[in-house]
């Protein structure tokens, strides 16, 4: 087994399921990364995010101390519930390595670790300083990358996520909020004395669905169209009451360049228009909203994108920048003013699945990419 695959196997053996999904968290994997780099003589810093859950930062000096590249990968995984393979046994079969996190995103992490370690061991100084950041909590609340971004200065960042070795410059953002319709309670034998919040909410949902259909016609060239999904509904106390409250939670995916505030204003208007026609009914979006994460939208002619595309072309891979619908740590780095890309081995369709795996040849190629990128970016 090659060194990068051996490291990946070690990482898969460590259970780093996010505590939000009942796991032990990232302490053990952080200790592994620290030991790995201490052995090869690189400076390691731990950045506490939650008690016992640190980001691990590793610095490889460059020729120009004024310029810095961040390589970022998250160390947590989603839960192992429902998995049909042993989650922490890195079995290799037919060119794939199986296990929780093998694809999302321990393979990307292993390639970044070996890019740094191999350059250091060969005594090669890249043009820019490299900061490897192994961050906690991507799969739940992004607190690891948010902590990382505090006071961070860098000229480019690559974030490891499965992109099938494509360079991703655009990801959708997300807005999650709770919409509440208030009505008036009454006895169900005299419904005309009340105002039925569930009935009104049904109209709000119908309006949201019509609105989502209209959005489907306006596709962003890299990410496709914005979407909206109603994921939760709650309302009513018992069948012989007219319900005075109904709530839904929606998940709205934002396009690059789209502001969450604009989408919220649009939905407030839509809710008001539905409720205004119904006496005794009032609708609102609950504040604060549940989640806002704006999209990633790195210019395709930026230096980081052009460098990454040139390296992919050198390797005989597709150099065209593309977009993905999923969110990750990259948008937070971009918001901190760091031009950021997403890149990694494996397919997002294999992430979070019951039999997660990674194609091992893609892992080797991704390592080659990371090394070449660090040597090419000035
Ligand atoms: Zn991930």
């Amino acid at each position: 087994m090659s060194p990068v695959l051996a490291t990946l196997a070690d990482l898969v053996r460590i259970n780093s399921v996010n505590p939000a999904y009942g796991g032990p968290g990232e302490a053990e994997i952080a200790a592994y990364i620290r030991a790995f780099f201490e052995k090869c003589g690189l400076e390691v810093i731990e950045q506490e995010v939650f008690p016992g859950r640190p980001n691990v930062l590793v610095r490889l000096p460059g020729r120009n101390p004024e310029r810095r590249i961040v390589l970022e990968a998250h160390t947590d995984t989603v839960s192992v519930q429902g998995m049909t393979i042993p989650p922490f046994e890195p079995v290799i079969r037919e060119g794939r390595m199986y296990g929780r996190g093998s694809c999302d995103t321990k393979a990307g992490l292993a390639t970044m670790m070996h890019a740094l370690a191999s350059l250091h061991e060969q005594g090669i100084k890249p043009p820019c300083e490299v900061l490897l950041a192994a961050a906690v909590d991507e799969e739940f609340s992004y607190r690891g990358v948010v902590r990382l971004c505090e006071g961070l200065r860098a000229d480019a960042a690559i974030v490891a996520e499965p992109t099938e070795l494509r360079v991703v410059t655009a990801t959708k953002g997300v807005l999650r909020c709770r919409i509440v319709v208030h009505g008036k309670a009454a006895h169900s034998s005299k419904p005309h004395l009340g105002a039925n919040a569930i009935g009104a909410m049904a109209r709000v949902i119908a309006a949201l669905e019509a609105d989502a259909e209209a959005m489907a016609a306006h596709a962003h060239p890299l990410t496709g169209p914005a979407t909206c999904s109603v994921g939760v509904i709650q309302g009513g106390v018992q069948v012989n009451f007219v319900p005075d409250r109904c709530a839904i939670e929606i998940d709205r995916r934002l396009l690059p360049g789209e502001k969450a505030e604009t989408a919220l204003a649009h939905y407030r208007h839509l809710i008001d228009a539905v409720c205004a026609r119904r006496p005794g009914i009032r609708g609102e979006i609950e504040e604060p909203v549940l989640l806002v994460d704006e999209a990633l939208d790195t210019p395709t002619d930026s230096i980081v994108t052009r460098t990454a595309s040139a390296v992919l072309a050198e390797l005989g891979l597709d150099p065209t920048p593309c977009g993905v619908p999923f969110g990750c740590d990259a948008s937070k780095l971009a918001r901190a003013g760091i031009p950021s890309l997403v890149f990694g081995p494996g397919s997002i369709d294999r992430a979070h699945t019951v039999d997660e795996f990674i194609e091992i040849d893609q892992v080797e190629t991704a390592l080659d990419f990371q090394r070449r990128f660090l040597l090419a970016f000035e």
Side-chain angles (χ1 to χ4, degrees):
M1 207 189 284
S2 70
V4 67
L5 288 180
T7 298
L8 174 54
D10 287 346
L11 295 173
V12 170
R13 271 185 213 105
I14 299 171
N15 174 352
S16 63
V17 172
N18 192 301
Y21 310 123
E26 305 89 345
E28 191 183 345
I29 198 165
Y32 178 91
I33 298 165
R34 171 188 267 276
F36 176 93
F37 283 107
E38 282 177 348
K39 208 170 104 191
C40 70
L42 278 166
E43 185 190 348
V44 182
I45 302 157
E46 281 188 11
Q47 188 178 48
E48 183 108 326
V49 181
F50 304 101
R53 299 177 62 193
N55 291 338
V56 181
L57 310 183
V58 186
R59 202 175 69 86
L60 176 70
R63 294 198 295 273
N64 181 352
E66 303 295 307
R67 303 269 292 165
R68 180 189 281 157
I69 301 171
V70 173
L71 299 183
E72 199 259 14
H74 64 87
T75 49
D76 60 327
T77 72
V78 293
S79 101
V80 297
Q81 222 186 346
M83 285 188 81
T84 56
I85 54 163
F88 309 117
E89 285 173 32
V91 173
I92 294 182
R93 210 179 329 118
E94 289 163 0
R96 301 163 166 180
M97 185 187 291
Y98 288 81
R100 175 56 84 224
S102 59
C103 174
D104 183 11
T105 207
K106 291 179 175 179
L109 172 61
T111 65
M112 289 175 167
M113 288 168 67
H114 277 266
L116 252 74
S118 64
L119 290 176
H120 179 64
E121 276 157 14
Q122 292 163 356
I124 301 172
K125 255 194 179 183
C128 305
E129 177 181 301
V130 185
L131 185 72
L132 171 77
V136 301
D137 198 42
E138 191 271 347
E139 297 289 6
F140 184 60
S141 69
Y142 297 126
R143 290 306 303 171
V145 72
V146 168
R147 174 77 181 83
L148 170 68
C149 287
E150 287 170 14
L152 180 67
R153 191 202 55 73
D155 301 281
I158 295 190
V159 171
E161 287 291 344
T163 69
E164 298 183 83
L165 305 176
R166 294 287 301 271
V167 51
V168 168
T169 57
T171 68
K172 287 184 190 174
V174 64
L175 161 68
R176 291 192 186 130
C177 61
R178 184 176 292 123
I179 298 172
V180 184
V181 166
H182 304 274
K184 184 165 177 265
H187 193 282
S188 58
S189 65
K190 294 181 176 177
H192 57 280
L193 297 181
N196 192 315
I198 291 178
M201 184 60 92
R203 305 301 176 103
V204 170
I205 293 171
L208 286 171
E209 294 202 325
D211 188 66
E213 275 170 36
M215 288 190 307
H218 305 284
H220 181 277
L222 294 182
T223 63
T227 58
C228 181
S229 171
V230 180
V232 173
I233 184 163
Q234 293 158 329
V237 177
Q238 63 183 57
V239 70
N240 57 351
F241 288 3
V242 172
D244 64 351
R245 186 179 188 278
C246 184
I248 59 171
E249 290 176 12
I250 64 169
D251 177 300
R252 165 73 151 79
R253 298 296 161 137
L254 302 163
L255 296 182
E258 197 178 22
K259 293 279 166 224
E261 256 322 306
T262 313
L264 275 172
H266 173 77
Y267 286 135
R268 282 195 195 98
H269 183 76
L270 178 149
I271 295 161
D272 287 348
V274 172
C275 294
R277 291 196 292 271
R278 312 182 77 76
I281 293 290
R282 183 174 63 81
E284 62 175 347
I285 295 176
E286 214 171 76
E287 298 277 356
V289 298
L290 302 169
L291 177 73
V292 173
D293 181 31
E294 270 156 25
L296 176 71
D297 193 13
T298 301
T300 50
D301 62 354
S302 60
I303 304 172
V304 62
T305 311
R306 283 192 281 126
T307 308
S309 287
V311 171
L312 287 176
E314 246 171 62
L315 292 169
L317 298 166
D318 188 344
T320 318
C322 66
V324 294
F326 62 86
C328 66
D329 282 347
S331 56
K332 274 61 74 184
L333 286 153
R335 211 162 52 221
I338 303 166
S340 301
L341 302 176
V342 190
F343 173 87
S347 162
I348 194 67
D349 297 340
R350 300 272 72 79
H352 305 192
T353 56
V354 296
D355 62 344
E356 180 172 352
F357 65 79
I358 182 82
E359 293 80 359
I360 58 180
D361 59 336
Q362 287 197 28
V363 180
E364 305 282 0
T365 309
L367 168 57
D368 201 1
F369 169 90
Q370 298 290 2
R371 278 180 54 102
R372 286 170 188 250
F373 179 85
L374 295 181
L375 295 175
F377 188 89
E378 305 236 10

